[in-house]
Amino acid sequence: MIEFERVSKTYPDGTVAVDGLDLTAPNGEITVLVGPSGCGKTTTMRMVNRLIDPTEGRITLDGTDTASIDAVTLRRRIGYVIQNAGLFPHRTVVDNVAALPRLLGGGKKQTRAAAMDLLERVGLDATFAKRYPWQLSGGQQQRVGVARALATDPPFLLMDEPFSAVDPIVRAQLQDEFLRLQADISKTIILVTHDIDEALKLGDRVAVLRQGGRLAQVATPAELLEAPADAFVADFVGSTRGYRSLGFRFGDDELIPQTEPTVTLGEPVGEIDGRWALAVGAEGRPVGWVDASAVGTRAVESDDINLAGTVARADSPLRELLNSALSSPAGRCVIVDDDGVLVGSVTDTDVLAAIRRARASEGAA
């Protein structure tokens, strides 16, 4: 557990970066610090490993005051991941990951073997081990940075804008992989981001800081969306918070997928009720929607596919189900199993009814 007790940081010129911060980052959870530029997010995080020393208050790790721990010893207990990875350019990937364990006296063979295992855990196979950082994409470099931070198996992990330097598609992939990794390793993590969507996706708890390093609200993502503490938090979270909150609500037993008629690529559209038919591949995975009126009696080709629609699983959050229904030209949410094979569909009306039931259930509780 990482605890901030009335922590402040004031610089010699009088600038107050952090002001009287009381905050707890529970064990095994991701606590995200988010807020506008200049609100003290990074300063707060860097005070944990004493890259910056607080002016007042104290920070404890599992009850031990960090000021009582030698700075080098402290930093060896805390993994640190920064933007752009910060890898050693003259060392191979495997040697980057093994660097600190080797520095601490580990044998070359042992530390390299452990580094190879870590690379696999962050999604990089053995072919990357002998490459140099300049031979990797930005996303691959960030994976190596995470592996290096975990190389000594630290109980605590600090992450400063770790995914902000990559494109949106790679960023989403890295976020998903990181959540899967955290489910296995259960580290106590403080992550800094300026992106509220990233904070809501990754955080078990989200701490919103306002200018001057003052805590505006700390809450679960769902609580933050549904009950912002004040106008500042409401404005920062954004006007679409009602839709976003559906990402933390789920359907019920009354939301039952119905059989969805399909057409297979390379075959003509048969008898359907309405204009749009769902196209599937040979293995039964949806590939998009087909306008039957435009295709007529000929076989469906890949150029006929409307790719606007998305798919969801039955246990997906209601936001994903609603998005699938709204993005579909047919107004139907396509439900697939874990392998991406079609299960059936529900209508947008069905999803809206499930949303009303979820809200009513929460209100009754």
Side-chain angles (χ1 to χ4, degrees), residues 216-274:
Q217 184 174 3
V218 58
T220 67
E223 290 168 346
L224 198 67
L225 290 166
E226 295 170 5
D230 56 26
F232 168 78
V233 177
D235 183 63
F236 188 80
V237 172
S239 60
T240 60
R241 54 187 175 275
Y243 176 68
R244 287 173 173 176
S245 70
L246 296 178
F248 304 95
R249 288 193 174 106
F250 297 86
D252 52 32
D253 293 339
E254 295 184 46
L255 190 64
I256 302 173
Q258 304 299 312
T259 300
E260 177 66 40
T262 62
V263 57
T264 302
L265 281 174
E267 297 181 2
V269 178
E271 292 288 334
I272 63 169
D273 182 15

Side-chain angles (χ1 to χ4, degrees), residues 88-97 112 129-133:
F88 302 122
H90 60 289
R91 294 189 177 186
T92 63
V93 165
V94 68
D95 286 336
N96 262 279
V97 176
R112 279 197 162 200
K130 293 185 178 181
R131 297 183 189 180
Y132 289 87

Side-chain angles (χ1 to χ4, degrees), residues 323-340:
N323 183 68
S324 178
L326 294 178
S327 65
S328 161
R332 297 194 291 277
C333 164
V334 177
I335 306 293
V336 297
D337 62 19
D338 290 341
D339 295 321

Side-chain angles (χ1 to χ4, degrees), residues 243 255 260 276 289 308-313 317-335 344-353 355:
Y243 176 68
L255 190 64
E260 177 66 40
W276 294 94
W289 293 90
T310 63
V311 300
R313 298 193 310 273
L318 286 169
R319 185 173 71 173
E320 294 183 23
L321 296 170
L322 181 60
N323 183 68
S324 178
L326 294 178
S327 65
S328 161
R332 297 194 291 277
C333 164
V334 177
I335 306 293
S345 67
V346 294
T347 67
D348 48 8
T349 302
D350 296 330
V351 179
L352 290 172
I355 292 171

Side-chain angles (χ1 to χ4, degrees), residues 8-11 15-19 38-41 43-44 210-214:
S8 297
K9 177 61 183 180
T10 304
Y11 288 99
T15 300
V16 178
V18 179
D19 187 9
C39 71
K41 303 183 297 292
T43 299
T44 296
R210 63 176 89 241
Q211 293 290 348
R214 288 173 289 123

Side-chain angles (χ1 to χ4, degrees), residues 43-319:
T43 299
T44 296
M45 187 194 69
R46 289 181 176 177
M47 285 192 288
V48 176
N49 62 359
R50 290 179 54 194
L51 291 177
I52 297 174
D53 286 319
T55 307
E56 298 178 9
R58 71 176 196 148
I59 301 170
T60 61
L61 303 182
D62 289 337
T64 301
D65 191 337
T66 57
S68 68
I69 307 172
D70 173 73
V72 174
T73 302
L74 174 68
R75 289 167 195 159
R76 288 174 179 172
R77 295 182 60 194
I78 303 172
Y80 193 35
V81 183
I82 62 175
Q83 188 180 19
N84 293 316
L87 303 177
F88 302 122
H90 60 289
R91 294 189 177 186
T92 63
V93 165
V94 68
D95 286 336
N96 262 279
V97 176
L100 186 52
R102 284 280 289 154
L103 184 64
L104 296 177
K108 183 175 182 179
K109 184 176 181 180
Q110 177 187 12
T111 55
R112 279 197 162 200
M116 294 295 290
D117 289 340
L118 278 171
L119 288 173
E120 184 176 351
R121 294 190 75 176
V122 298
L124 296 175
D125 61 40
T127 61
F128 290 91
K130 293 185 178 181
R131 297 183 189 180
Y132 289 87
W134 59 269
Q135 295 175 304
L136 306 179
S137 68
Q140 290 164 349
Q141 289 183 33
Q142 282 306 130
R143 289 182 175 90
V144 177
V146 172
R148 186 176 64 178
L150 296 173
T152 58
D153 194 23
F156 308 101
L157 188 63
L158 304 179
M159 307 185 75
D160 190 3
E161 303 268 10
F163 310 127
S164 62
V166 295
D167 66 74
I169 293 177
V170 173
R171 185 175 191 173
Q173 293 171 345
L174 288 173
Q175 291 168 347
D176 292 339
E177 290 174 4
F178 177 66
L179 287 174
R180 284 194 291 270
L181 181 62
Q182 170 65 356
D184 290 335
I185 62 179
S186 297
K187 300 296 183 183
T188 302
I189 299 171
I190 291 181
L191 184 147
V192 166
T193 181
H194 65 277
D195 184 341
I196 186 61
D197 287 320
E198 181 168 78
L200 295 171
K201 179 176 180 177
L202 297 182
D204 294 296
R205 288 157 52 89
V206 179
V208 182
L209 301 179
R210 63 176 89 241
Q211 293 290 348
R214 288 173 289 123
L215 182 64
Q217 184 174 3
V218 58
T220 67
E223 290 168 346
L224 198 67
L225 290 166
E226 295 170 5
D230 56 26
F232 168 78
V233 177
D235 183 63
F236 188 80
V237 172
S239 60
T240 60
R241 54 187 175 275
Y243 176 68
R244 287 173 173 176
S245 70
L246 296 178
F248 304 95
R249 288 193 174 106
F250 297 86
D252 52 32
D253 293 339
E254 295 184 46
L255 190 64
I256 302 173
Q258 304 299 312
T259 300
E260 177 66 40
T262 62
V263 57
T264 302
L265 281 174
E267 297 181 2
V269 178
E271 292 288 334
I272 63 169
D273 182 15
R275 174 181 172 184
W276 294 94
L278 181 67
V280 297
E283 297 180 351
R285 294 184 175 87
V287 295
W289 293 90
V290 176
D291 185 347
S293 64
V295 173
T297 59
R298 66 175 174 81
V300 174
E301 302 174 357
S302 57
D303 290 344
D304 297 318
I305 304 299
N306 182 315
L307 299 174
T310 63
V311 300
R313 298 193 310 273
D315 60 353
S316 294
L318 286 169
R319 185 173 71 173

